[in-house]
Amino acid sequence: MDSNKLMDALGSFQQELPSEINILELRRSSVDDQQRRLRKLLKVSGDACERDFDRGQWQTFDDHTLVRLPQGAHAVLFHASGAVKLTSGLGEMESLFKEPEPKKQLVDRAEALLKTLGLHEQLGRREMLTFERLWQIKACAADRSGKTIEPVLCRAVGAFRHHVEGIPVLGPASVAVQLAGSGELDMISILMRSPEGETLERVKALHPERGARGIVQQLAEQFADSRGEIQFDCRDGMRFGYLSLPKRKTQRLLAPVYMATIDVTHDKERQGLVLAVRATEKSYLPLNPPGHESPPSISSKTAGQRCC
Amino acid sequence: MARFGVEGIRYFNHARAAGVSTASDLTYTFNRANGFDSKLRGAGHQRAFYWANTDCWETDIRDTDRGGSDRSWVDDVDLFWIETHGNHEGDGQARMLYDTPQTGWRTYSDQWQLGENWNAEWVMAYSCKTVDRNNVVGLWNIFAGLHIYCGAWDNMYDAWTTDECGEDVAHNLVHGDTVSHAWHDGVSDWAVDNHPITVCVGNAATWNNGNIRWDLSYLNRDHLWGHGNVEPDLPPSQQACILWRWSEG
């Protein structure tokens, strides 16, 4: 492994680090509170796409709430994080864009829709949402003779990043709004973990070089018994920020990390990894947890048995 | 309801020891596969098989006519989920790595022929780059009745940030989303660039002299059995076009 080259890529770190960072306690919301917020979101989203989302069938399960809405729309609320996703029920290949649109125009549309939904107004004093990335979902086709049509734009997705005290909260997109061709809302997902107000500790961030070394160390361990030429790339460089765990996981506090997306090229295979290391001396979050194993109940194929 | 099968490979120590690949072990293979499996079974769908690590063989997806046993495994279920390392060949064939040579270490999609007289409607491969976006027609031969191939046109990330993807895809499927949407939405968190792509075939009415009737396509119309419409199989003689849908950021 060429760790020097990777260290260079990780070390091209541009973010300005605060001299001290707060370790923040996160707001703990009851399911009732989360459902109240979801009702508000359904109301404004329904208004935004001229649909009646006030009426719906609500079902509460242990870990999530499901709301079935008119015309195939549905919403799901994840109790562990308060994350929500609302899907409009539009057909996958319906309401396509009539022609490609400039990226700037799509971003403007996504930002305007976000404003309509009033999400900025729900943020606390030390929080903000900024545009991060535009995604486009496209489709294409070819016939038997190899004739290929021009790609069509099906959906545009504006991804936004939540910031707390000026620090981005890394992880899945904090907010993603998916637009259909008519400009209407097709999907919105929200995963924002907001602080309660309490600062648990005030700490210094580790130097970025220590973050980079931690990431290189993890890679060295993972590829310890790989013999041969392997290429590692870190196109976006290393990032610093608070971390939000995925939506089905509970989280008690916000603490900073260094994070990097690594692309690995082997002779025949490709691989992609996202690695995070703590950016503080003390460990606050369960980073890079060990993966699950296969279910113990499954039997061996060589024993000539099927699992069920 | 649907019958489904799962194959997940987390460890590649045999492939590495044999000098077949330098690819490392994966970490969250079974977070995704278990999530997919439990969500579908929880909704009443029947798991036909769940093979792990060295119990996953390249012959499971290889056509019976070509010495494989797809008739007993991948082509015996409606929906098949696989996770392993992957890539594609220069001619657009998908290629995936196994950790045991039964009888090869890799599968190549020119040896797949799914859906024939059997069952396979949908294949989902959480695996890097099994579709060449510049040569999607290289996959055409796999559609012998198969409706949609769900894969990736570049890297798919193995990370704690993507460990819920399997459960998300299955959640979407059992809540009435189309199969294509379930894949795109389920493996995307709009932060990690997972490059999902769904590929299907269509008839002459769908091709419509190049003015595609997207509304008629499997992408728009196919749902998991029990959760909405499923279009009839389209035999190769009626296939006039191949269609694909992808996300790019």
PDB file of all heavy atoms in Angstrom, chain A residues 26-51:
ATOM      1  N   LEU A  26     -27.734  15.700  22.505  1.00  0.00           N
ATOM      2  CA  LEU A  26     -28.789  15.799  21.497  1.00  0.00           C
ATOM      3  C   LEU A  26     -30.171  15.795  22.136  1.00  0.00           C
ATOM      4  O   LEU A  26     -30.383  15.202  23.206  1.00  0.00           O
ATOM      5  CB  LEU A  26     -28.686  14.631  20.517  1.00  0.00           C
ATOM      6  CG  LEU A  26     -27.536  14.752  19.517  1.00  0.00           C
ATOM      7  CD1 LEU A  26     -27.347  13.448  18.761  1.00  0.00           C
ATOM      8  CD2 LEU A  26     -27.786  15.899  18.548  1.00  0.00           C
ATOM      9  N   ARG A  27     -31.088  16.446  21.454  1.00  0.00           N
ATOM     10  CA  ARG A  27     -32.478  16.485  21.911  1.00  0.00           C
ATOM     11  C   ARG A  27     -33.069  15.077  21.862  1.00  0.00           C
ATOM     12  O   ARG A  27     -32.880  14.349  20.890  1.00  0.00           O
ATOM     13  CB  ARG A  27     -33.269  17.404  20.983  1.00  0.00           C
ATOM     14  CG  ARG A  27     -34.693  17.640  21.422  1.00  0.00           C
ATOM     15  CD  ARG A  27     -35.518  18.210  20.286  1.00  0.00           C
ATOM     16  NE  ARG A  27     -34.995  19.477  19.785  1.00  0.00           N
ATOM     17  CZ  ARG A  27     -35.230  19.920  18.548  1.00  0.00           C
ATOM     18  NH1 ARG A  27     -35.925  19.202  17.687  1.00  0.00           N
ATOM     19  NH2 ARG A  27     -34.741  21.072  18.153  1.00  0.00           N
ATOM     20  N   ARG A  28     -33.748  14.709  22.930  1.00  0.00           N
ATOM     21  CA  ARG A  28     -34.432  13.410  22.915  1.00  0.00           C
ATOM     22  C   ARG A  28     -35.915  13.659  22.791  1.00  0.00           C
ATOM     23  O   ARG A  28     -36.517  14.293  23.662  1.00  0.00           O
ATOM     24  CB  ARG A  28     -34.158  12.650  24.208  1.00  0.00           C
ATOM     25  CG  ARG A  28     -32.743  12.125  24.267  1.00  0.00           C
ATOM     26  CD  ARG A  28     -32.487  11.395  25.549  1.00  0.00           C
ATOM     27  NE  ARG A  28     -31.161  11.714  26.032  1.00  0.00           N
ATOM     28  CZ  ARG A  28     -30.606  11.170  27.092  1.00  0.00           C
ATOM     29  NH1 ARG A  28     -31.285  10.303  27.820  1.00  0.00           N
ATOM     30  NH2 ARG A  28     -29.394  11.503  27.451  1.00  0.00           N
ATOM     31  N   SER A  29     -36.485  13.175  21.720  1.00  0.00           N
ATOM     32  CA  SER A  29     -37.906  13.440  21.481  1.00  0.00           C
ATOM     33  C   SER A  29     -38.710  12.165  21.697  1.00  0.00           C
ATOM     34  O   SER A  29     -38.274  11.076  21.292  1.00  0.00           O
ATOM     35  CB  SER A  29     -38.132  13.890  20.039  1.00  0.00           C
ATOM     36  OG  SER A  29     -37.353  15.008  19.765  1.00  0.00           O
ATOM     37  N   SER A  30     -39.879  12.325  22.279  1.00  0.00           N
ATOM     38  CA  SER A  30     -40.769  11.182  22.414  1.00  0.00           C
ATOM     39  C   SER A  30     -41.364  10.866  21.036  1.00  0.00           C
ATOM     40  O   SER A  30     -41.340  11.712  20.130  1.00  0.00           O
ATOM     41  CB  SER A  30     -41.886  11.500  23.399  1.00  0.00           C
ATOM     42  OG  SER A  30     -42.701  12.509  22.844  1.00  0.00           O
ATOM     43  N   VAL A  31     -41.912   9.683  20.902  1.00  0.00           N
ATOM     44  CA  VAL A  31     -42.555   9.320  19.630  1.00  0.00           C
ATOM     45  C   VAL A  31     -43.704  10.285  19.349  1.00  0.00           C
ATOM     46  O   VAL A  31     -43.919  10.692  18.204  1.00  0.00           O
ATOM     47  CB  VAL A  31     -43.033   7.849  19.666  1.00  0.00           C
ATOM     48  CG1 VAL A  31     -43.862   7.517  18.432  1.00  0.00           C
ATOM     49  CG2 VAL A  31     -41.833   6.914  19.759  1.00  0.00           C
ATOM     50  N   ASP A  32     -44.417  10.681  20.404  1.00  0.00           N
ATOM     51  CA  ASP A  32     -45.519  11.643  20.216  1.00  0.00           C
ATOM     52  C   ASP A  32     -45.007  12.946  19.606  1.00  0.00           C
ATOM     53  O   ASP A  32     -45.620  13.497  18.688  1.00  0.00           O
ATOM     54  CB  ASP A  32     -46.208  11.944  21.553  1.00  0.00           C
ATOM     55  CG  ASP A  32     -47.118  10.808  21.973  1.00  0.00           C
ATOM     56  OD1 ASP A  32     -47.380   9.938  21.131  1.00  0.00           O
ATOM     57  OD2 ASP A  32     -47.545  10.795  23.138  1.00  0.00           O
ATOM     58  N   ASP A  33     -43.896  13.433  20.148  1.00  0.00           N
ATOM     59  CA  ASP A  33     -43.321  14.678  19.617  1.00  0.00           C
ATOM     60  C   ASP A  33     -42.906  14.506  18.147  1.00  0.00           C
ATOM     61  O   ASP A  33     -43.129  15.378  17.312  1.00  0.00           O
ATOM     62  CB  ASP A  33     -42.080  15.095  20.417  1.00  0.00           C
ATOM     63  CG  ASP A  33     -42.460  15.683  21.755  1.00  0.00           C
ATOM     64  OD1 ASP A  33     -43.634  16.083  21.913  1.00  0.00           O
ATOM     65  OD2 ASP A  33     -41.582  15.719  22.648  1.00  0.00           O
ATOM     66  N   GLN A  34     -42.285  13.363  17.879  1.00  0.00           N
ATOM     67  CA  GLN A  34     -41.837  13.113  16.494  1.00  0.00           C
ATOM     68  C   GLN A  34     -43.043  13.059  15.550  1.00  0.00           C
ATOM     69  O   GLN A  34     -42.995  13.574  14.436  1.00  0.00           O
ATOM     70  CB  GLN A  34     -41.063  11.795  16.426  1.00  0.00           C
ATOM     71  CG  GLN A  34     -39.737  11.826  17.167  1.00  0.00           C
ATOM     72  CD  GLN A  34     -39.041  10.471  17.153  1.00  0.00           C
ATOM     73  OE1 GLN A  34     -39.593   9.474  16.709  1.00  0.00           O
ATOM     74  NE2 GLN A  34     -37.827  10.433  17.665  1.00  0.00           N
ATOM     75  N   GLN A  35     -44.108  12.426  16.025  1.00  0.00           N
ATOM     76  CA  GLN A  35     -45.304  12.317  15.176  1.00  0.00           C
ATOM     77  C   GLN A  35     -45.947  13.687  14.965  1.00  0.00           C
ATOM     78  O   GLN A  35     -46.472  13.979  13.891  1.00  0.00           O
ATOM     79  CB  GLN A  35     -46.289  11.320  15.779  1.00  0.00           C
ATOM     80  CG  GLN A  35     -45.780   9.881  15.680  1.00  0.00           C
ATOM     81  CD  GLN A  35     -46.733   8.861  16.273  1.00  0.00           C
ATOM     82  OE1 GLN A  35     -47.632   9.205  17.046  1.00  0.00           O
ATOM     83  NE2 GLN A  35     -46.544   7.593  15.927  1.00  0.00           N
ATOM     84  N   ARG A  36     -45.883  14.529  15.987  1.00  0.00           N
ATOM     85  CA  ARG A  36     -46.424  15.898  15.833  1.00  0.00           C
ATOM     86  C   ARG A  36     -45.642  16.643  14.745  1.00  0.00           C
ATOM     87  O   ARG A  36     -46.217  17.318  13.899  1.00  0.00           O
ATOM     88  CB  ARG A  36     -46.334  16.654  17.168  1.00  0.00           C
ATOM     89  CG  ARG A  36     -47.669  16.724  17.916  1.00  0.00           C
ATOM     90  CD  ARG A  36     -47.620  17.738  19.038  1.00  0.00           C
ATOM     91  NE  ARG A  36     -46.682  17.355  20.085  1.00  0.00           N
ATOM     92  CZ  ARG A  36     -46.984  16.494  21.057  1.00  0.00           C
ATOM     93  NH1 ARG A  36     -48.180  15.938  21.116  1.00  0.00           N
ATOM     94  NH2 ARG A  36     -46.103  16.166  21.972  1.00  0.00           N
ATOM     95  N   ARG A  37     -44.326  16.475  14.775  1.00  0.00           N
ATOM     96  CA  ARG A  37     -43.507  17.156  13.751  1.00  0.00           C
ATOM     97  C   ARG A  37     -43.816  16.601  12.366  1.00  0.00           C
ATOM     98  O   ARG A  37     -43.829  17.326  11.381  1.00  0.00           O
ATOM     99  CB  ARG A  37     -42.012  17.003  14.078  1.00  0.00           C
ATOM    100  CG  ARG A  37     -41.543  17.973  15.153  1.00  0.00           C
ATOM    101  CD  ARG A  37     -40.031  18.162  15.102  1.00  0.00           C
ATOM    102  NE  ARG A  37     -39.323  16.964  15.501  1.00  0.00           N
ATOM    103  CZ  ARG A  37     -39.044  16.638  16.759  1.00  0.00           C
ATOM    104  NH1 ARG A  37     -39.406  17.443  17.741  1.00  0.00           N
ATOM    105  NH2 ARG A  37     -38.398  15.537  17.042  1.00  0.00           N
ATOM    106  N   LEU A  38     -44.044  15.276  12.308  1.00  0.00           N
ATOM    107  CA  LEU A  38     -44.358  14.675  11.010  1.00  0.00           C
ATOM    108  C   LEU A  38     -45.678  15.222  10.469  1.00  0.00           C
ATOM    109  O   LEU A  38     -45.809  15.490   9.274  1.00  0.00           O
ATOM    110  CB  LEU A  38     -44.408  13.142  11.136  1.00  0.00           C
ATOM    111  CG  LEU A  38     -44.817  12.379   9.876  1.00  0.00           C
ATOM    112  CD1 LEU A  38     -43.910  12.712   8.697  1.00  0.00           C
ATOM    113  CD2 LEU A  38     -44.788  10.862  10.124  1.00  0.00           C
ATOM    114  N   ARG A  39     -46.663  15.408  11.367  1.00  0.00           N
ATOM    115  CA  ARG A  39     -47.955  15.958  10.912  1.00  0.00           C
ATOM    116  C   ARG A  39     -47.749  17.344  10.281  1.00  0.00           C
ATOM    117  O   ARG A  39     -48.343  17.673   9.257  1.00  0.00           O
ATOM    118  CB  ARG A  39     -48.928  16.072  12.096  1.00  0.00           C
ATOM    119  CG  ARG A  39     -49.613  14.777  12.422  1.00  0.00           C
ATOM    120  CD  ARG A  39     -50.618  14.925  13.561  1.00  0.00           C
ATOM    121  NE  ARG A  39     -50.813  13.653  14.218  1.00  0.00           N
ATOM    122  CZ  ARG A  39     -51.568  12.671  13.739  1.00  0.00           C
ATOM    123  NH1 ARG A  39     -52.211  12.837  12.601  1.00  0.00           N
ATOM    124  NH2 ARG A  39     -51.671  11.528  14.379  1.00  0.00           N
ATOM    125  N   LYS A  40     -46.890  18.135  10.919  1.00  0.00           N
ATOM    126  CA  LYS A  40     -46.620  19.475  10.362  1.00  0.00           C
ATOM    127  C   LYS A  40     -45.978  19.358   8.994  1.00  0.00           C
ATOM    128  O   LYS A  40     -46.323  20.081   8.054  1.00  0.00           O
ATOM    129  CB  LYS A  40     -45.661  20.249  11.298  1.00  0.00           C
ATOM    130  CG  LYS A  40     -46.332  20.920  12.458  1.00  0.00           C
ATOM    131  CD  LYS A  40     -45.328  21.801  13.162  1.00  0.00           C
ATOM    132  CE  LYS A  40     -45.821  22.115  14.559  1.00  0.00           C
ATOM    133  NZ  LYS A  40     -44.771  22.665  15.422  1.00  0.00           N
ATOM    134  N   LEU A  41     -45.019  18.452   8.875  1.00  0.00           N
ATOM    135  CA  LEU A  41     -44.337  18.278   7.590  1.00  0.00           C
ATOM    136  C   LEU A  41     -45.327  17.821   6.516  1.00  0.00           C
ATOM    137  O   LEU A  41     -45.283  18.297   5.377  1.00  0.00           O
ATOM    138  CB  LEU A  41     -43.204  17.249   7.717  1.00  0.00           C
ATOM    139  CG  LEU A  41     -42.482  16.935   6.407  1.00  0.00           C
ATOM    140  CD1 LEU A  41     -41.612  18.125   5.975  1.00  0.00           C
ATOM    141  CD2 LEU A  41     -41.618  15.681   6.520  1.00  0.00           C
ATOM    142  N   LEU A  42     -46.225  16.921   6.894  1.00  0.00           N
ATOM    143  CA  LEU A  42     -47.215  16.440   5.922  1.00  0.00           C
ATOM    144  C   LEU A  42     -48.115  17.577   5.466  1.00  0.00           C
ATOM    145  O   LEU A  42     -48.475  17.684   4.294  1.00  0.00           O
ATOM    146  CB  LEU A  42     -48.055  15.305   6.525  1.00  0.00           C
ATOM    147  CG  LEU A  42     -47.307  13.995   6.790  1.00  0.00           C
ATOM    148  CD1 LEU A  42     -48.232  12.973   7.444  1.00  0.00           C
ATOM    149  CD2 LEU A  42     -46.728  13.422   5.507  1.00  0.00           C
ATOM    150  N   LYS A  43     -48.448  18.438   6.403  1.00  0.00           N
ATOM    151  CA  LYS A  43     -49.324  19.568   6.066  1.00  0.00           C
ATOM    152  C   LYS A  43     -48.641  20.467   5.026  1.00  0.00           C
ATOM    153  O   LYS A  43     -49.217  20.754   3.966  1.00  0.00           O
ATOM    154  CB  LYS A  43     -49.639  20.357   7.350  1.00  0.00           C
ATOM    155  CG  LYS A  43     -50.410  21.639   7.143  1.00  0.00           C
ATOM    156  CD  LYS A  43     -51.885  21.341   6.940  1.00  0.00           C
ATOM    157  CE  LYS A  43     -52.731  22.591   6.826  1.00  0.00           C
ATOM    158  NZ  LYS A  43     -52.540  23.311   5.578  1.00  0.00           N
ATOM    159  N   VAL A  44     -47.398  20.896   5.334  1.00  0.00           N
ATOM    160  CA  VAL A  44     -46.736  21.828   4.406  1.00  0.00           C
ATOM    161  C   VAL A  44     -46.357  21.141   3.096  1.00  0.00           C
ATOM    162  O   VAL A  44     -46.413  21.740   2.025  1.00  0.00           O
ATOM    163  CB  VAL A  44     -45.486  22.509   5.018  1.00  0.00           C
ATOM    164  CG1 VAL A  44     -45.872  23.450   6.126  1.00  0.00           C
ATOM    165  CG2 VAL A  44     -44.464  21.501   5.510  1.00  0.00           C
ATOM    166  N   SER A  45     -46.017  19.851   3.178  1.00  0.00           N
ATOM    167  CA  SER A  45     -45.661  19.131   1.947  1.00  0.00           C
ATOM    168  C   SER A  45     -46.893  18.950   1.073  1.00  0.00           C
ATOM    169  O   SER A  45     -46.820  19.075  -0.157  1.00  0.00           O
ATOM    170  CB  SER A  45     -45.071  17.753   2.265  1.00  0.00           C
ATOM    171  OG  SER A  45     -43.978  17.877   3.116  1.00  0.00           O
ATOM    172  N   GLY A  46     -48.013  18.642   1.696  1.00  0.00           N
ATOM    173  CA  GLY A  46     -49.265  18.508   0.954  1.00  0.00           C
ATOM    174  C   GLY A  46     -49.609  19.811   0.254  1.00  0.00           C
ATOM    175  O   GLY A  46     -49.998  19.826  -0.923  1.00  0.00           O
ATOM    176  N   ASP A  47     -49.438  20.919   0.981  1.00  0.00           N
ATOM    177  CA  ASP A  47     -49.701  22.234   0.368  1.00  0.00           C
ATOM    178  C   ASP A  47     -48.761  22.473  -0.814  1.00  0.00           C
ATOM    179  O   ASP A  47     -49.169  22.998  -1.852  1.00  0.00           O
ATOM    180  CB  ASP A  47     -49.509  23.361   1.401  1.00  0.00           C
ATOM    181  CG  ASP A  47     -50.576  23.310   2.487  1.00  0.00           C
ATOM    182  OD1 ASP A  47     -51.587  22.604   2.284  1.00  0.00           O
ATOM    183  OD2 ASP A  47     -50.387  23.950   3.544  1.00  0.00           O
ATOM    184  N   ALA A  48     -47.486  22.063  -0.626  1.00  0.00           N
ATOM    185  CA  ALA A  48     -46.480  22.326  -1.666  1.00  0.00           C
ATOM    186  C   ALA A  48     -46.775  21.555  -2.940  1.00  0.00           C
ATOM    187  O   ALA A  48     -46.453  22.023  -4.030  1.00  0.00           O
ATOM    188  CB  ALA A  48     -45.086  21.965  -1.158  1.00  0.00           C
ATOM    189  N   CYS A  49     -47.341  20.373  -2.812  1.00  0.00           N
ATOM    190  CA  CYS A  49     -47.609  19.628  -4.059  1.00  0.00           C
ATOM    191  C   CYS A  49     -49.112  19.450  -4.292  1.00  0.00           C
ATOM    192  O   CYS A  49     -49.518  18.549  -5.028  1.00  0.00           O
ATOM    193  CB  CYS A  49     -46.850  18.305  -4.096  1.00  0.00           C
ATOM    194  SG  CYS A  49     -47.081  17.231  -2.719  1.00  0.00           S
ATOM    195  N   GLU A  50     -49.878  20.324  -3.666  1.00  0.00           N
ATOM    196  CA  GLU A  50     -51.328  20.366  -3.885  1.00  0.00           C
ATOM    197  C   GLU A  50     -51.963  18.991  -3.711  1.00  0.00           C
ATOM    198  O   GLU A  50     -52.738  18.522  -4.534  1.00  0.00           O
ATOM    199  CB  GLU A  50     -51.636  20.951  -5.271  1.00  0.00           C
ATOM    200  CG  GLU A  50     -51.169  22.390  -5.378  1.00  0.00           C
ATOM    201  CD  GLU A  50     -51.389  22.970  -6.764  1.00  0.00           C
ATOM    202  OE1 GLU A  50     -51.826  22.231  -7.657  1.00  0.00           O
ATOM    203  OE2 GLU A  50     -51.119  24.176  -6.932  1.00  0.00           O
ATOM    204  N   ARG A  51     -51.585  18.351  -2.641  1.00  0.00           N
ATOM    205  CA  ARG A  51     -52.160  17.053  -2.305  1.00  0.00           C
ATOM    206  C   ARG A  51     -52.682  17.133  -0.873  1.00  0.00           C
ATOM    207  O   ARG A  51     -52.205  17.938  -0.070  1.00  0.00           O
ATOM    208  CB  ARG A  51     -51.088  15.946  -2.390  1.00  0.00           C
ATOM    209  CG  ARG A  51     -50.368  15.873  -3.721  1.00  0.00           C
ATOM    210  CD  ARG A  51     -51.055  14.922  -4.670  1.00  0.00           C
ATOM    211  NE  ARG A  51     -50.921  13.550  -4.250  1.00  0.00           N
ATOM    212  CZ  ARG A  51     -49.877  12.769  -4.564  1.00  0.00           C
ATOM    213  NH1 ARG A  51     -48.901  13.240  -5.301  1.00  0.00           N
ATOM    214  NH2 ARG A  51     -49.820  11.515  -4.175  1.00  0.00           N
TER     215      ARG A  51
END
